[in-house]
Amino acid sequence: MIPRKPLGFLIFAALAAASAAFVWFGLPHDREVKSLGIFLVKLLPFVFATEAVARLDVEWAKRIRLAVWSVPVAFLVYFLYFVPKIFFFGGVAAGTREAFYGLYYHVLTVTPFLIMGMTLAFRLGGGSAALVRRLSYGMLLLMLSGLEDLAFLTVNDHTDPAWATIPEVWDWASHMTVFLGHPPTKYEAYAFIAVHVVLALAVFFSPQRWWDSLRLRFVRTRTESA
């Protein structure tokens, strides 16, 4: 049986997910608002999600460690679906290589800003300092992993033969090149991604006592040096 306290949260979360699925998969992706009814329907996922968050029982969320997985999942939905789509459609619309590079730079700059906004909201809501660090550093590892590069190749409908299959050499992935000393091959990129994902998961789900121990050790070192 579902506990009484989180019941309202779970109901509205389910309504938010169902309405979002209907809006995304059941309605056309029009730029223009065709009618007031469609406009209001498209607002329903936001309304239901807001009500779900407002009804969330904080103590229950802490017991199930909701923040440890829900915040990274929300980040990954943005980073592994919407960012590749932005680059895919933006690359067509940009027209020039310089314009696309400007788009690319701005999106990747706003991404750590969003990470900090999410962790700031968590901290202001009473989240612990240790968990803020784990969420922030873990999501940064996911950002730097190369997962978005792989998502760009897999979630978009590429017609260019150069991108229709996963390239054997990822010569655009400069953040991997600076670590490896050469543009990564496809399998080196996979290994790079896997290592970063494992490290991120270790940050998210490592025992709390490890982080408390690091904090105590840092405080003790500062006290002794003073």
Side-chain angles (χ1 to χ4, degrees), residues 7 67 69 85 133 136 144-145 201:
L7 189 58
W69 61 268
K85 289 293 185 181
R133 293 187 179 96
S136 190
L144 299 176
S145 67
L201 291 174

Side-chain angles (χ1 to χ4, degrees), residues 121-168:
F122 174 74
R123 180 62 169 157
L124 291 173
S128 69
L131 193 46
V132 165
R133 293 187 179 96
R134 292 164 74 171
L135 289 172
S136 190
Y137 296 141
M139 286 189 286
L140 182 65
L141 283 168
L142 292 175
M143 176 186 169
L144 299 176
S145 67
L147 275 172
E148 183 274 320
D149 297 275
L150 181 59
F152 177 82
L153 297 168
T154 54
V155 305
N156 294 312
D157 297 323
H158 294 282
T159 56
D160 186 337
W163 303 100
T165 58
I166 296 178
E168 293 298 321

Side-chain angles (χ1 to χ4, degrees), residues 36 58 118 133 203 221:
L36 179 60
V58 176
M118 296 168 79
R133 293 187 179 96
V203 171
T221 301

Side-chain angles (χ1 to χ4, degrees), residues 34 58 77 99 115 124 168 195:
K34 297 295 179 64
V58 176
V77 170
I115 291 175
L124 291 173
E168 293 298 321
V195 168

Side-chain angles (χ1 to χ4, degrees), residues 67 69-82 118 139:
W69 61 268
S70 62
V71 175
V73 165
F75 171 71
L76 287 176
V77 170
Y78 153 79
F79 194 60
L80 298 187
Y81 184 77
F82 289 102
M118 296 168 79
M139 286 189 286

